[in-house]
Amino acid sequence: MATTALKWLKRMVVALVAILSAYLLAALAGSLLPANQHWQSPEDGIELFIETNGLHSGIVMPIWSDVHDWTPLVRPEHLADPSYYGSHILVGWGHEGVYRNTRQWSDLRANDAISAIFGSDDVLVHVYHLKYPQAYPYYRRPLKVSAAEYRKIATAIEARFILDEQYRPRPSPGYGRDDLFYAAKGHYSAFYTCNSWTSDILQQAGIRTGRWTPFQGGVMRWFPEGMD
């Protein structure tokens, strides 16, 4: 009896290792295969940034520009201290439990991980307020886009917010004074992560990125330091 149980346990371990290995290999391949391969950054465009904290990735955009105005949606009064309202916002999307409880990998809880892997509709938009951000080699890479591309990016992101009839979102406290969570739409899973979302938004705008990027490294590889 014990021998049979041990055999089944070994088979399960082997199967899990095989599944994980296949997933990681697929993630690597997906991050290396380009979508919108022939896209080129315009010489005269709107400067955005792609940012990562080592776990999540997101898109940094001006709070206001001639192309798009975020102020009707992302308001100063949503913050406990409106003085933290910035010139730019860093926007990401992800699993509610992971977002709220996992600022770095060591914080990840088993129940959040299981929910994220197998899928959940409990998702949030995360917004950080930044004041005149600059590019940094590892975690914040520049991205210049055309006006038409930026409109597509903004439209795709706005579509993720849950809004009431008066176009009002549902904010809730974030990690500190300069960030907030907003109720959002979508389905999170191991096959569509916060980093997949970042690439998906960019792909919808016609910008070159990896075809499938469940990890932040797969996103950031497409935006090298000093990219024009």
Side-chain angles (χ1 to χ4, degrees), residues 12 23 39 43-44 57 61 68 99 110-111 122 125 132 136 154 160 169 190 200 210 227:
M12 288 179 62
Y23 179 83
W39 173 82
E43 292 184 6
D44 183 18
S57 63
M61 301 165 287
H68 188 78
Y99 249 150
N111 59 326
D122 296 327
V125 168
Y132 307 106
Y136 287 94
R160 292 290 185 167
D200 181 36
M227 178 180 179

Side-chain angles (χ1 to χ4, degrees), residues 56-110:
H56 308 290
S57 63
I59 303 171
V60 177
M61 301 165 287
I63 196 75
W64 181 90
S65 73
D66 291 336
V67 176
H68 188 78
D69 183 4
W70 288 99
T71 59
L73 184 63
V74 180
R75 302 291 303 158
E77 58 267 24
H78 295 166
L79 293 163
D81 184 349
S83 69
Y84 283 86
Y85 196 75
S87 63
H88 290 67
I89 51 174
L90 164 60
V91 182
W93 171 96
H95 183 276
E96 180 173 7
V98 174
Y99 249 150
R100 290 194 184 278
N101 304 318
T102 311
R103 297 190 68 174
Q104 52 190 5
W105 282 111
S106 59
D107 299 327
L108 184 61
R109 305 189 308 185

Side-chain angles (χ1 to χ4, degrees), residues 10-41:
K10 287 181 178 179
R11 290 175 183 173
M12 288 179 62
V13 170
V14 169
L16 287 173
V17 170
I19 291 170
L20 179 59
S21 298
Y23 179 83
L24 294 175
L25 286 172
L28 176 60
S31 72
L32 293 172
L33 291 172
N36 305 315
Q37 183 174 2
H38 301 294
W39 173 82
Q40 292 185 344
S41 180

Side-chain angles (χ1 to χ4, degrees), residues 35-36 39-40 149 152 201-208:
N36 305 315
W39 173 82
Q40 292 185 344
E149 289 164 350
K152 291 179 181 179
I201 294 294
L202 298 173
Q203 287 179 33
Q204 289 182 51
I207 295 166
R208 183 176 60 247

